[in-house]
Amino acid sequence: EPEVTQTPSHQVTQMGQEVILRCVPISNHLYFYWYRQILGQKVEFLVSFYNNEISEKSEIFDDQFSVERPDGSNFTLKIRSTKLEDSAMYFCASSEEGYAGELFFGEGSRLTVL
Amino acid sequence: AQSVTQPDIHITVSEGASLELRCNYSYGATPYLFWYVQSPGQGLQLLLKYFSGDTLVQGIKGFEAEFKRSQSSFNLRKPSVHWSDAAEYFCAVVLYNTDKLIFGTGTRLQVFP
């Protein structure tokens, strides 16, 4: 069964460093998303991406964050200068038809900022 | 304030017992409604969704949910719980004309044999 894959599964970084989280969505999907879950808290929307551009972003998704689909298969989330409060599990999701269909989530990338 | 509320943080049931997980929302218009499940170390999986029509929706793994407009609720139910149902359950909404899923705080389900 096709699945969304995320790498790395866990990354530890120093505060102020740049981090890139990678996602390979399901191949025929057109809608892509990043969500995050701080330990013990609820899952929060970060950004949605369709037709090679951001369609919506949350207030969390400030200038330190960016997304890219560099080669038609990968979908990356970059955090330019990490802060302690960026420590969280980051989930990528993809969908064939947005929320009208089903979002398929990856298993997440755990980011720990020291 | 606009929100999705799951009043029960943690529920424990015996295997074979019935289950109901509560979800309430407070938005001006009826949003699109979803239930997701997250097993330990796994991503989120869609159980079911409601957009319109029949207010009782069937999902995967024997789950169902009922939309009640008068109560702004979308409670998840299962008649007989299995040990493998132990997981975290999230209610979520999408507001009309937006492109983001808003999650509740989750209910952790524990199942005893």
Side-chain angles (χ1 to χ4, degrees):
Chain A
E1 185 176 319
E3 59 181 15
V4 175
T5 57
Q6 291 185 240
T7 55
S9 55
H10 189 192
Q11 181 156 357
V12 181
T13 190
Q14 294 291 323
M15 189 170 57
Q17 295 297 303
E18 176 182 282
V19 160
I20 296 176
L21 304 179
R22 291 182 168 80
C23 170
V24 179
I26 295 172
S27 61
N28 63 331
H29 285 188
L30 303 175
Y31 297 79
F32 313 106
Y33 307 85
W34 283 101
Y35 287 79
R36 80 172 187 190
Q37 185 178 28
I38 295 170
L39 188 63
Q41 298 186 23
K42 63 181 179 181
V43 179
E44 301 173 291
F45 169 79
L46 290 178
V47 66
S48 56
F49 190 87
Y50 171 72
N51 203 24
N52 281 320
E53 61 182 23
I54 291 173
S55 48
E56 189 157 356
K57 60 183 181 180
S58 72
E59 53 278 5
I60 302 168
F61 196 88
D62 61 22
D63 291 345
Q64 293 301 310
F65 290 85
S66 62
V67 289
E68 204 175 35
R69 192 160 154 76
D71 55 12
S73 61
N74 290 287
F75 179 53
T76 62
L77 175 69
K78 182 193 291 187
I79 309 174
R80 260 180 272 283
S81 177
T82 50
K83 303 188 284 287
L84 296 176
E85 54 265 36
D86 293 328
S87 295
M89 182 74 90
Y90 288 80
F91 292 103
C92 173
S94 72
S95 173
E96 196 172 357
E97 49 183 334
Y99 295 110
E102 177 176 350
L103 261 65
F104 290 83
F105 282 81
E107 293 186 356
S109 292
R110 180 169 297 285
L111 176 64
T112 301
V113 182
L114 303 176
Chain B
Q2 297 183 329
S3 66
V4 181
T5 304
Q6 293 181 248
D8 305 304
I9 297 171
H10 187 194
I11 284 184
T12 302
V13 299
S14 299
E15 192 170 19
S18 63
L19 173 71
E20 181 168 29
L21 303 182
R22 296 182 290 165
C23 174
N24 293 91
Y25 62 91
S26 58
Y27 294 95
T30 300
Y32 301 139
L33 298 156
F34 305 79
W35 274 99
Y36 280 84
V37 61
Q38 184 181 30
S39 299
Q42 304 289 312
L44 295 135
Q45 182 182 23
L46 179 68
L47 286 175
L48 46 78
K49 61 188 177 188
Y50 173 78
F51 287 176
S52 65
D54 192 346
T55 56
L56 184 64
V57 293
Q58 301 298 319
I60 62 170
K61 305 186 182 192
F63 285 93
E64 66 179 26
E66 186 171 14
F67 167 62
K68 292 185 177 179
R69 186 187 303 275
S70 60
Q71 297 177 19
S72 296
S73 69
F74 188 57
N75 294 348
L76 182 71
R77 300 195 295 245
K78 186 169 184 177
S80 177
V81 168
H82 188 262
W83 64 266
S84 59
D85 293 325
E88 184 106 22
Y89 291 80
F90 293 94
C91 181
V93 306
V94 171
L95 303 180
Y96 179 71
N97 232 16
T98 71
D99 198 23
K100 58 182 177 182
L101 202 54
I102 302 169
F103 285 87
T105 49
T107 298
R108 179 166 298 279
L109 174 67
Q110 195 169 5
V111 181
F112 280 115

